[in-house]
Amino acid sequence: MRVVAQVIREKSRPYDCIGRWMGDEFVILLSGVIGADAEKVAERVIAGVRGTMIEVKNEAPLMVKISAGIASASRITASTEIEPLIQQARQAMAHAKQAGGNQVFLVFV
């Protein structure tokens, strides 16, 4: 988890908000980024994680798959409920996993 978290941090912008959500899920808040631009950031993260070899003592290196779900909202205000956006992104991520992983699924809300 630490190695993946580090790659996510390295492939994100310095001012993006990154956190661990549940289990092996991370959330990245990309302020000022919508749609295709968010997809590019996610693809950069996926490429970085896919290109990272995770060594385990006395075992073969781990092959990590990563899937990304994006919920893109055209307007977020102080009264916007964040939880529904995260749930939309989690559903999008589930679609990406079902499609084989190492990819991005984007929904507009």
Side-chain angles (χ1 to χ4, degrees):
M1 292 300 285
R2 287 184 186 142
V3 172
V4 172
Q6 182 60 36
V7 172
I8 292 170
R9 170 52 55 209
E10 289 170 0
K11 300 300 179 183
S12 301
R13 302 170 304 175
Y15 46 87
D16 290 335
C17 181
I18 301 170
R20 185 170 170 196
W21 184 252
M22 299 173 120
D24 62 351
E25 296 178 8
F26 291 87
V27 173
I28 305 173
L29 175 62
L30 302 171
S31 62
V33 176
I34 59 172
D37 291 334
E39 198 169 15
K40 288 176 188 175
V41 173
E43 288 171 352
R44 186 172 61 231
V45 169
I46 288 171
V49 170
R50 191 176 39 216
T52 301
M53 185 173 292
I54 301 175
E55 299 285 339
V56 179
K57 189 175 181 179
N58 299 323
E59 293 186 30
L62 295 177
M63 301 300 292
V64 178
K65 279 191 173 184
I66 184 170
S67 300
I70 299 170
S72 181
S74 59
R75 186 163 189 253
I76 295 179
T77 65
S79 64
T80 301
E81 293 286 330
I82 298 301
E83 184 74 26
L85 289 175
I86 291 173
Q87 293 309 318
Q88 289 278 344
R90 290 181 76 212
Q91 289 174 1
M93 180 188 58
H95 288 309
K97 282 183 177 181
Q98 290 170 352
N102 283 333
Q103 58 188 295
V104 181
F105 194 85
L106 170 66
V107 293
F108 291 93
V109 292

